[in-house]
Amino acid sequence: MMPREFALFGILIPTLLPLFILSIGLQTLLDRVLGWLGVYRMVWHPSLARLCIFIAIFGALALSLYK
């Protein structure tokens, strides 16, 4: 089981914060690839699609951590 928080140079950081930052990076990479492929031209609302992709990535990372 993962701790709820960990100490980094004396500062308590929630465990989900690094996952949130990692999911931002993964979503940025995936967003560039999907934009290059032209997927967003087939989507009704590209900003909403980007948000849903981010939520899916963050949820998958969080669920993989907390089984």
Side-chain angles (χ1 to χ4, degrees), residues 1-7 13-16 65-66:
M1 179 131 180
M2 200 68 177
R4 292 184 183 254
E5 52 202 21
F6 60 93
I13 297 177
T15 307
L16 290 178
L65 221 168
Y66 296 105

Side-chain angles (χ1 to χ4, degrees), residues 40-55:
Y40 291 128
R41 287 183 295 202
M42 296 181 281
V43 178
W44 172 69
H45 203 290
S47 299
L48 189 60
R50 287 180 176 105
L51 177 66
C52 291
I53 291 170
F54 173 75
I55 290 171

Side-chain angles (χ1 to χ4, degrees), residues 5-67:
E5 52 202 21
F6 60 93
L8 181 67
F9 301 114
I11 300 171
L12 292 176
I13 297 177
T15 307
L16 290 178
L17 182 64
L19 291 179
F20 186 79
I21 294 170
L22 178 65
S23 62
I24 289 172
L26 288 174
Q27 197 271 340
T28 302
L29 290 173
L30 187 60
D31 184 52
R32 289 181 189 256
V33 170
L34 292 177
W36 181 74
L37 291 174
V39 173
Y40 291 128
R41 287 183 295 202
M42 296 181 281
V43 178
W44 172 69
H45 203 290
S47 299
L48 189 60
R50 287 180 176 105
L51 177 66
C52 291
I53 291 170
F54 173 75
I55 290 171
I57 292 171
F58 181 65
L61 288 175
L63 285 176
S64 70
L65 221 168
Y66 296 105
K67 293 180 180 177

